[in-house]
């Protein structure tokens, strides 16, 4: 509706058209009451109608009452003849309040979002006091934001209250009239309040999760701090017990070490209780679904492992020192036996044995002494070591030898006296006077410890009583077993020759098979008569399909086969035959690296007529792919045959060379296998060969722990073990992710995506890492040694040889230690 004043009406229409585009359906124009003004308005409106740019009906009204024909009086204010109570100034104030409230809600949403972003992106501290401080600061800011949300909610509720019309009898009609007007404003404010409530709910949920993560972050730091402290203390006690490893010294020194070990054991009990408490704490954190669940479980296992090592080491040391103490006690008894023997010799004067009874008594004294001294005379250091499971020091061996010589000389003198006293008893002959030797003369005697006619005696002490157990010599068994030993030697030679013959014969077959494949398949790919049977794209794939098989054939046919045949009557030459040509075998690495590409070509064209025709001409039962696998199978077969030869070899020099050849072939297999994995690494920027030789590779679960440096809250959500394939090179460790691919051959030839390369910044850092890793491996090797010691004591020599052949495959600690020692030596240079 517009007032009938053409200039002002024109401007209003333009503003309305701009403010409400497409929403005007009817224009009502109220004409003036005077004739001149009405005429002027009609003329001006007629000439200006096109300027209004309004393509809609326009109705000219003569009076205000005419408005009621088009508009309900409840929608018109009193000055226009209606009943709507309206105050424009109040409307402006209320409209400003609504708009300000909407702006406040928007700003509140931005504040909450900014606070959440700050919590996620801010770097967390790396010490417990700072973590606790930041927890308190963030909690305070959370409560301030909660107060702001409460204030905004209160403001919105007040606006809603102001929109409600009092429910009085006189205001019922007025409330009905303004219901539609306030309905839109009420819905707007209510919608904003709903947004505030939703924001508050989301903010409380976010804060609850954040607070839980921060508390868990603090718990993890405390757990890690306790863990590291316990590890340091356990390692300190382990170092202390390691200082007690020397079992040399006097009996007083051994007693002192036992006392120190008991004190160390008391300290370890308190430490083990702390470790158990930390482990229980870790289990509690894990049970509460801590985000670092896997790392905490790993730490608990490490702590339990270190605790077991400490307990086992102290227990083993106690047993060792106890046995050493018992051994010293026995040496004391042996010395006392020497003293008693010397005293007995000194007291047997000639005047005391004038009667038969005196001679019988002296004879009985000698027999009693010899019975007591015999165990000490007839033991060996090796027997003593076996009985007490200790390693004898050179000093102890000298003491044992000295006492043994003295007792042997005393026994020799007493045996001569026994003969004299027996003659005196039976014939009443005056006994010969024997001169008591000095200790120096006793030591210079070189009487043998054992006689082939005497039984060999070993001693065992149970508590304070000495028990003697006679173990008879096995000389007769040895003599009777000599013939069987010769037969065994002959059988070993037969077996060795059989293995050698198998090596040569299979080598001839291998060379012949390579020749037939190269002639019957590879050469035929250049035969024009066969082009019609061959797909065009296959013709230039010859080098990919066969790789360097021709090079392998030439090496075996021209060099290696004849060298092996020369070993037919000289088995000791097999080892040098392999060692002299170990560098030539590196050509197999090239062949194996090409194998995935070769198999791809074969899978694509295996059914073509060309291959079927070649197979028919050669009269091969197997298809080409089986023969392409022959080089891989052959390089694996060599180490198995060398193991068999080494098992049946007796000559020390030949065995050593065979062992060296076996190690060379095993290293070759490992190198080939590692190279197959290396060529499957994708995404590494640079040359992997610059990292040095690949030492080992394998799959691991990798954790990114909380270390010194930047840690953000958003990183905690990704705190879980990652499955990574690690490649250990001489200069770095490469972290890759194994890609899961489908298709034939994907299981044999994996693919890896490069993730990270970890290099030591300098030699000092690398040496520190090598030292720590070496200490861990030594501890693990000690545990393995303790477990296997008893089993190895019961093995035969042949079994021990067999075990030594398998050490490369079954003793990873030894392999890692050798690699670390080599790296340490190279850095030392």
């Amino acid at each position: 509706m517009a007032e009938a004043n053409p200039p002002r009406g024109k401007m209003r229409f333009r503003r309305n058209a701009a403010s409400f585009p497409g929403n005007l359906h009817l224009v009502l124009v109220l004409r003036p009451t005077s004739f001149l003004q009405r005429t002027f308005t009609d003329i001006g409106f007629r000439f200006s109608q096109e300027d209004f740019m309004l393509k809609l009906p326009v109705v000219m009204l003569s009076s205000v009452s005419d408005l009621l024909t088009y508009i309900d009086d409840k929608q018109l204010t009193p000055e226009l003849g209606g009943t709507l109570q309206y105050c424009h100034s109040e409307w402006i104030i209320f409209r400003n309040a609504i708009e300000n409230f909407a702006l406040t809600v928007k700003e509140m949403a931005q504040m909450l979002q900014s606070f959440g972003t700050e919590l996620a992106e801010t770097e967390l501290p790396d010490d417990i006091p700072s973590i606790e401080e930041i927890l308190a600061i963030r909690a305070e800011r959370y409560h301030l934001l909660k107060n702001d949300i409460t204030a905004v909610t209160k403001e919105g509720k007040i606006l809603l209250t102001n929109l409600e019309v009092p429910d009085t009898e006189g205001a019922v009609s007025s409330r009905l009239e303004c219901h539609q007007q306030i309905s839109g404003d009420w819905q707007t404010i209510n919608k904003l309040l709903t947004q505030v409530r939703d924001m508050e709910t989301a903010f409380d949920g976010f804060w609850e999760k954040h607070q839980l993560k921060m508390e868990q972050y603090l718990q993890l730091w405390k757990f890690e701090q306790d863990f590291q402290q316990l590890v340091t203390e356990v390692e300190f006690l382990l170092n202390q017990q390691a200082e007690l490893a020397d079992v040399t010294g006097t009996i007083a020194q051994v007693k002192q070490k036992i006392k120190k070990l008991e004190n160390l054991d008391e300290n370890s009990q308190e430490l083990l209780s702390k470790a158990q408490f930390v482990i229980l704490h870790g289990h509690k954190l894990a049970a509460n679904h801590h985000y670092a669940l896997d790392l905490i479980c790993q730490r608990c296992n490490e702590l339990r492992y270190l605790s077991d090592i400490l307990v086992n080491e102290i227990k083993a040391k106690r047993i060792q020192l106890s046995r050493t103490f018992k051994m010293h006690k026995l040496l004391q008894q042996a010395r006392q036996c020497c003293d008693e023997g010397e005293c007995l010799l000194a007291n047997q004067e000639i005047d005391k044995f004038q009667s038969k009874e005196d001679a019988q008594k002296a004879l009985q004294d000698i027999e009693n002494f010899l019975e007591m001294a015999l165990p000490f005379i007839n033991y060996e250091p090796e027997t003593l070591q076996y009985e007490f499971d200790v390693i004898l020091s050179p000093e102890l061996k000298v003491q044992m030898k000295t006492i043994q010589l003295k007792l042997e000389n005393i026994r020799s003198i007493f045996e001569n006296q026994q003969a004299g006293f027996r003659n005196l008893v039976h014939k009443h002959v005056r006994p010969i006077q024997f001169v008591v030797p000095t200790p120096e003369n006793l030591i210079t005697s070189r009487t043998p410890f054992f006689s082939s006619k005497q039984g060999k005696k070993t001693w065992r002490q149970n508590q304070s009583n000495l028990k003697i157990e006679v173990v008879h010599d096995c000389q007769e068994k040895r003599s009777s077993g000599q013939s069987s030993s010769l037969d065994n030697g002959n059988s070993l030679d037969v077996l060795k020759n059989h293995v050698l013959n198998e090596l040569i014969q299979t080598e001839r077959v291998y060379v012949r098979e390579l020749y037939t494949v190269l002639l019957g398949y590879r050469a035929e790919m250049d035969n024009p008569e066969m082009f019609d049977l061959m797909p065009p794209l296959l013709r230039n794939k010859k080098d990919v399909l066969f790789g360097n098989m021709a090079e392998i054939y030439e090496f075996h046919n021209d060099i290696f086969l004849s060298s092996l045949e020369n070993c037919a009557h000289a088995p000791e030459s097999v080892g040098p035959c392999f060692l002299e040509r170990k560098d030539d075998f590196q050509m197999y690495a090239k062949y194996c690296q090409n194998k995935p590409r070769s198999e791809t070509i074969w899978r694509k064209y295996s059914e073509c007529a060309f291959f079927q025709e070649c197979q028919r001409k050669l009269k091969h039962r197997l298809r080409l792919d089986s023969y392409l696998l022959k080089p891989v199978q052959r390089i694996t077969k060599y180490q198995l045959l060398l193991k068999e030869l080494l098992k049946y070899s007796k000559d020390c020099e030949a065995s050593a060379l065979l062992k060296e050849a076996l190690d060379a072939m095993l290293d070759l297999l490992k190198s080939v296998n590692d190279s197959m994995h290396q060529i499957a690494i994708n995404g590494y920027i640079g040359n992997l060969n610059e990292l040095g030789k690949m030492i080992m590779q394998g799959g691991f679960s990798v954790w990114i722990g909380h270390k010194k440096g930047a840690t953000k809250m958003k990183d905690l959500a990704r705190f879980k073990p990652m499955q990574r394939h690690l490649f250990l090179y001489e200069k770095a460790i490469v972290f890759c992710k194994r890609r899961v691919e489908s298709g034939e051959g994907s299981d044999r030839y994996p693919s890896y995506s490069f993730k990270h390369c970890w290099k030591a910044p300098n030699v000092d850092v690398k040496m520190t890492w090598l030292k720590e890793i070496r200490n861990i491996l030594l501890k693990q090797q000690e545990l393995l040694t303790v477990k296997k010691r008893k089993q190895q004591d019961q093995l035969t020599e042949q079994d021990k040889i067999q075990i030594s052949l398998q050490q490369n495959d079954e003793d990873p600690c030894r392999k890692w230690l050798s690699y670390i020692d080599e790296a340490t030596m190279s850095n030392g240079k």
Side-chain angles (χ1 to χ4, degrees), residues 17 22 24-27 49-58:
L24 296 178
H25 301 283
L26 178 66
V27 177
Q49 188 173 8
E50 294 181 357
D51 295 339
F52 295 156
M53 301 177 67
L54 300 173
K55 297 181 180 180
L56 47 91
V58 178

Side-chain angles (χ1 to χ4, degrees), residues 22-35:
N23 292 330
L24 296 178
H25 301 283
L26 178 66
V27 177
L28 300 177
V29 180
L30 186 60
R31 301 169 63 190
T33 57
S34 64
F35 176 77

Side-chain angles (χ1 to χ4, degrees), residues 106-118:
K106 180 179 179 181
E107 291 176 350
M108 177 58 63
Q110 292 175 348
M111 289 174 59
L112 296 180
Q113 183 177 4
S114 176
F115 181 64
T117 303
E118 178 184 349

Side-chain angles (χ1 to χ4, degrees), residues 102 105-106 108-109 112 149 188-202:
V105 172
K106 180 179 179 181
M108 177 58 63
L112 296 180
I149 294 175
T188 300
I189 297 175
N190 187 60
K191 182 178 180 180
L192 291 174
L193 278 176
T194 301
Q195 292 179 3
V196 173
R197 286 193 292 269
D198 293 342
M199 284 192 301
E200 183 177 16
T201 302

Side-chain angles (χ1 to χ4, degrees), residues 440-456:
E440 291 77 8
N441 293 331
L442 289 173
I443 297 175
T444 57
S445 175
R446 298 298 178 187
T447 306
F449 294 158
F450 296 98
S451 172
S452 60
K453 298 180 180 179
Q454 290 178 333
K456 178 181 176 183

